[in-house]
Amino acid sequence: MQPDRRILAREWRSAAAEDLRVAKLLRDESPSTAAFHSQQSVEKALTAACIVAIDEAPRTHVVNHLLDELAANGHEPTQGVREAARILERFYAPTRYPDALGGIDPNKVYVANDASQAITEAEIVIAFADVIVAII
């Protein structure tokens, strides 16, 4: 891997850590935002892993697609990682777009327990990504 790719992977991983930190801060105050940042942290951690494993940063918001890319390149996620990613997918659009829930405030739909689950699931997927990123 080229040195600039190492730097890029570290930058993506750092951004993932920041998103997870923000998610934890907002868990009670803004659960939908916390859930969104949890999902984003996983996207970024998996992007860092893809940069390391396949020397490419796929442009997608679908965390399972990123897992597929890693699996196709010898980094098969466990079923637990796949399940965590599947759960996180449900937090992407409804927490990001104001009209995704038909005009309902996402913070009236998502509660602190949802944010806590998103954070827990994110930590599972990030731990998988970190094993790959540690290669650098």
Side-chain angles (χ1 to χ4, degrees), residues 52 129-136:
V52 170
D130 281 351
V131 170
I132 299 166
V133 173
I135 294 169
I136 59 172

Side-chain angles (χ1 to χ4, degrees), residues 1-30:
M1 179 183 351
Q2 300 171 356
D4 59 327
R5 288 292 197 187
R6 288 187 179 101
I7 292 167
L8 183 59
R10 286 187 192 114
E11 288 171 351
W12 276 96
R13 183 55 186 93
S14 178
E18 178 62 10
D19 272 320
L20 191 59
R21 185 187 74 78
V22 168
K24 290 176 180 180
L25 287 173
L26 295 175
R27 179 186 341 232
D28 295 319
E29 182 182 332
S30 182

Side-chain angles (χ1 to χ4, degrees), residues 31-33 35-37 90-97 100-101 106 110:
S32 70
T33 305
F36 172 72
H37 279 285
R90 71 184 179 132
F91 294 116
Y92 179 68
T95 59
R96 181 174 184 186
Y97 301 109
L101 295 172
Y110 295 100

Side-chain angles (χ1 to χ4, degrees), residues 5-135:
R5 288 292 197 187
R6 288 187 179 101
I7 292 167
L8 183 59
R10 286 187 192 114
E11 288 171 351
W12 276 96
R13 183 55 186 93
S14 178
E18 178 62 10
D19 272 320
L20 191 59
R21 185 187 74 78
V22 168
K24 290 176 180 180
L25 287 173
L26 295 175
R27 179 186 341 232
D28 295 319
E29 182 182 332
S30 182
S32 70
T33 305
F36 172 72
H37 279 285
S38 296
Q39 188 275 344
Q40 287 292 284
S41 70
V42 166
E43 265 190 53
K44 293 171 184 173
L46 290 174
T47 297
C50 284
I51 291 167
V52 170
I54 63 176
D55 209 29
E56 180 182 331
R59 298 288 182 199
T60 182
H61 296 291
V62 181
V63 295
N64 276 298
H65 175 72
L66 294 168
L67 287 174
D68 290 344
E69 290 289 328
L70 290 166
N73 286 278
H75 300 280
E76 184 66 46
T78 65
Q79 195 59 32
V81 169
R82 287 278 188 187
E83 178 64 15
R86 188 193 64 74
I87 290 167
L88 284 164
E89 293 290 2
R90 71 184 179 132
F91 294 116
Y92 179 68
T95 59
R96 181 174 184 186
Y97 301 109
D99 61 349
L101 295 172
I104 300 169
D105 178 356
N107 283 312
K108 294 193 186 313
V109 174
Y110 295 100
V111 296
N113 285 342
D114 296 314
S116 292
Q117 180 184 22
I119 290 165
T120 298
E121 304 300 345
E123 290 171 336
I124 291 167
V125 180
I126 290 170
F128 166 75
D130 281 351
V131 170
I132 299 166
V133 173
I135 294 169

